[in-house]
Amino acid sequence: MHVVIATMSHETNTFSPVITDLDRFSGGHDLPLAGEAARGVYTGTASCPGGYLQAAEEFGAQISIPIIAAAPPSGPVEDDAYEYIVEKILTAVAAGCDALLLDLHGAMVTRSFEDGEGELLRRLRAIAPDLPIAVALDMHANLFPAIVDNATVIAGYHTYPHVDMDTTALKAGRLLLSSLKGECQPTMVWGNAPMLPHVMRQGTADHPNRELQERAAAMEADGALAVSLFTGFPHADVSQAGLSVVVVTDNDPELATRLRDELLDQAWEDRKAFVYQVEPLAASVAKAKALGDEPPAADRPGPVLLLDHYDNTASGGTMDTTEVLAEILKQGLEDVAVFGFYDPAAVEAMAAAGIGAEVTIELGGKLRMPALQRQSRPLRLTGRVKLLSDGRFPATVAMSRGLTMNMGKTAVLSIGSVDIAIISRHIEPFDPGCFRSLGIEPTARRFLMLKSRIHYRVGFTPLVREVVECAGLGVCTSDYSEVEFTHVRRPIFPLDGVNTRHGV
Ligand SMILES: [Zn+2]
């Protein structure tokens, strides 16, 4: 049995100005990894390729890896990057194989296609109409008909933070490969609901997604082959943005339809719990300051965390808006560690000055955000260069465990008791290694500020005593009225009043 494993993964924020070129898919290498190099990096890791490799090895398959291309969320994918990745996958399939295991995100928009994954699958079907294809998708997938119509089995994550990427791919891979041996006959149905769940309300520790994902897992334990509820990605103005469900059963379309409808009904019933309530920034920072002034309870030590969630790089944020940090400095919070700002020019200026030097820099606010009415501005800061680093550290938390995180060239600016990590490659801070690799012990600080939304929970929830969500500025705004939706199907909740999940 010859199996092709490939990754083409990107969550596209159509409002983001951050460029998505081939370099962004390359993970700090000259080009995206492939072949034995990719196998060496991903085997045994908490990632989709890691799960697929395990499945293929269990079945004793011969494995080809034409490309592992995963880019951090950002604006629409450049056409030449997209065509490069697609060509690698098409060429590997054209050379002949028995099955294809695809690690896709499910919300990839390119300059030319609103459904990047569906376009890939259409082209695959043109050359391999009967090839068994497994697709592992992110919970934030915006599902299009062409994805489902051209895949054999689909499985999505059940967790957010995504700590089950490897087991999702393992499930999809095992399903597909066992069907090749005649052990099951996958049949698949899907559907969506006219709703755009807010990302800040999608965490699986919280109602209502906790119960939805628990129910999906229970359906699998009860005999469905794979049940996936995609909360979708609302920062994408594409026709099929929003919540959807895919159910795979063993040749039982009636059961698949019934389970799909049950989950869609449950999600629709809970739609108001997926709406996020925004609080003014000054009030949030004042609340955090007051919490930090209280002595911590003995059973809940650790810092107060201020979450700059409008500018989460893993939702396409520029990671350089300054509003939350400016408010923290204005209100005089002390003993703060900040992660982080994407500002390669600032890093270069600090590197040129050297460790220990006093510098004045214009931090952040540099990337223009034409999709928003408001624009962030650079923050003029004077401080000391505390540390310089190559920005690499090993991921140790359940998400991405086994992989090397790459922040690019990194510098720490100290302003009194405030330490700011400034990086040259976008990463979301979900692993405390982002601080510790820079000599900052997060548990020893009174306050942390993170540019994150939900993924921080995987590494930081155990370390902090309180979390205060701060509405700053950015292209993953928590206020949908700040951006213009012109392509998404209407009516859709909560942009419009909708009375039934059938869109009436
Ligand atoms: Zn996701």
Side-chain angles (χ1 to χ4, degrees):
M1 185 192 294
H2 180 194
V3 171
V4 172
I5 296 173
T7 294
M8 181 185 83
S9 181
H10 187 248
E11 179 182 77
T12 305
N13 180 327
T14 59
F15 307 109
S16 173
V18 179
I19 299 292
T20 310
D21 55 12
L22 192 59
D23 180 60
R24 199 167 171 87
F25 282 96
S26 303
H29 305 277
D30 291 339
L31 288 168
L33 288 178
E36 284 305 305
R39 191 166 177 173
V41 165
Y42 284 95
T43 296
T45 60
S47 67
C48 283
Y52 276 150
L53 282 163
Q54 184 184 334
E57 283 164 8
E58 285 175 1
F59 282 78
Q62 180 197 338
I63 298 169
S64 298
I65 308 177
I67 191 162
I68 302 290
S74 45
V77 178
E78 299 299 329
D79 283 337
D80 58 350
Y82 178 73
E83 295 299 337
Y84 178 92
I85 298 164
V86 168
E87 183 59 32
K88 292 281 181 195
I89 299 172
L90 289 173
T91 301
V93 167
C97 62
D98 301 305
L100 173 61
L101 307 181
L102 279 177
D103 163 25
L104 307 178
H105 185 288
M108 177 190 270
V109 183
T110 76
R111 294 282 179 203
S112 298
F113 303 106
E114 69 164 357
D115 174 19
E117 291 90 350
E119 178 63 20
L120 166 68
L121 285 156
R122 264 193 295 267
R123 294 189 200 179
L124 281 164
R125 281 295 172 228
I127 61 166
D130 302 317
L131 179 68
I133 301 177
V135 175
L137 293 175
D138 193 283
M139 186 185 286
H140 297 110
N142 290 326
L143 214 56
F144 283 74
I147 300 176
V148 188
D149 293 349
N150 294 304
T152 313
V153 300
I154 288 176
Y157 312 158
H158 284 173
T159 59
Y160 183 30
H162 305 323
V163 295
D164 63 339
M165 294 187 276
D166 50 346
T167 52
T168 300
L170 181 61
K171 176 168 61 187
R174 279 177 175 162
L175 253 179
L176 190 79
L177 300 182
S178 61
S179 76
L180 258 65
K181 296 174 80 177
E183 292 169 4
C184 63
Q185 242 182 299
T187 185
M188 193 157 58
V189 301
W190 81 288
N192 58 19
M195 54 191 284
L196 288 173
H198 196 283
V199 175
M200 288 292 285
R201 298 291 312 125
Q202 293 183 10
T204 46
D206 305 330
H207 172 75
N209 202 18
R210 177 182 55 223
E211 292 83 358
L212 286 164
Q213 300 300 335
E214 282 173 357
R215 183 68 190 117
M219 289 171 173
E220 290 176 349
D222 259 356
L225 297 179
V227 180
S228 311
L229 182 135
F230 301 100
T231 40
F233 186 60
H235 305 294
D237 185 19
V238 294
S239 61
Q240 300 298 316
L243 184 137
S244 62
V245 171
V246 178
V247 179
V248 188
T249 59
D250 190 1
N251 196 26
D252 191 343
E254 262 175 57
L255 173 66
T257 303
R258 186 157 46 79
L259 298 181
R260 175 201 66 186
D261 289 344
E262 183 197 321
L263 276 177
L264 286 174
D265 284 339
Q266 185 179 338
W268 182 251
E269 284 297 308
D270 289 335
R271 64 193 177 281
K272 287 181 183 155
F274 276 120
V275 176
Y276 183 75
Q277 305 299 333
V278 180
E279 178 182 76
L281 173 59
S284 303
V285 174
K287 184 162 78 184
K289 187 180 184 194
L291 286 166
D293 285 343
E294 292 169 13
D299 59 338
R300 282 190 86 186
V304 174
L305 168 55
L306 296 98
L307 203 62
D308 183 358
H309 59 90
Y310 274 43
D311 192 27
N312 172 32
T313 189
S315 295
T318 59
M319 210 177 177
D320 87 331
T321 68
T322 54
E323 283 61 27
V324 175
L325 177 59
E327 189 65 27
I328 285 171
L329 297 173
K330 185 179 157 194
Q331 294 197 26
L333 277 64
E334 293 190 348
D335 194 14
V336 190
V338 175
F339 195 100
F341 277 80
Y342 169 82
D343 194 333
V347 173
E348 288 303 331
M350 290 168 67
I355 293 172
E358 186 176 289
V359 291
T360 296
I361 60 168
E362 304 280 336
L363 179 67
K366 297 185 172 84
L367 287 160
R368 306 297 304 170
M369 300 184 291
L372 296 178
Q373 302 290 324
R374 298 187 287 156
Q375 174 62 41
S376 188
R377 301 200 187 291
L379 207 53
R380 188 176 178 81
L381 298 172
T382 298
R384 193 171 52 82
V385 181
K386 186 174 184 181
L387 179 134
L388 297 167
S389 159
D390 72 354
R392 289 172 190 267
F393 67 92
T396 55
V397 296
M399 207 168 84
S400 302
R401 187 189 59 252
L403 293 172
T404 298
M405 308 303 292
N406 182 359
M407 310 184 276
K409 199 168 175 180
T410 297
V412 177
L413 180 71
S414 285
I415 309 164
S417 63
V418 179
D419 286 340
I420 304 166
I422 310 173
I423 63 179
S424 304
R425 291 182 64 87
H426 286 112
I427 72 158
E428 183 175 357
F430 58 81
D431 188 317
C434 69
F435 282 122
R436 289 179 177 144
S437 66
L438 304 177
I440 297 170
E441 176 48 48
T443 56
R445 309 307 287 253
R446 186 181 297 198
F447 299 100
L448 302 177
M449 185 201 111
L450 295 179
K451 284 183 178 285
S452 176
R453 292 185 123 173
I454 302 290
H455 280 147
Y456 78 88
R457 294 179 180 182
V458 70
F460 286 95
T461 292
L463 308 186
V464 302
R465 58 175 149 134
E466 295 281 355
V467 178
V468 179
E469 296 168 352
C470 299
L473 177 59
V475 292
C476 30
T477 171
S478 288
D479 176 359
Y480 290 158
S481 72
E482 281 204 312
V483 290
E484 199 182 352
F485 289 91
T486 55
H487 299 292
V488 70
R489 68 198 184 286
R490 307 297 281 263
I492 195 162
F493 180 85
L495 303 183
D496 309 300
V498 197
N499 294 321
T500 78
R501 78 164 170 85
H502 304 288
V504 186

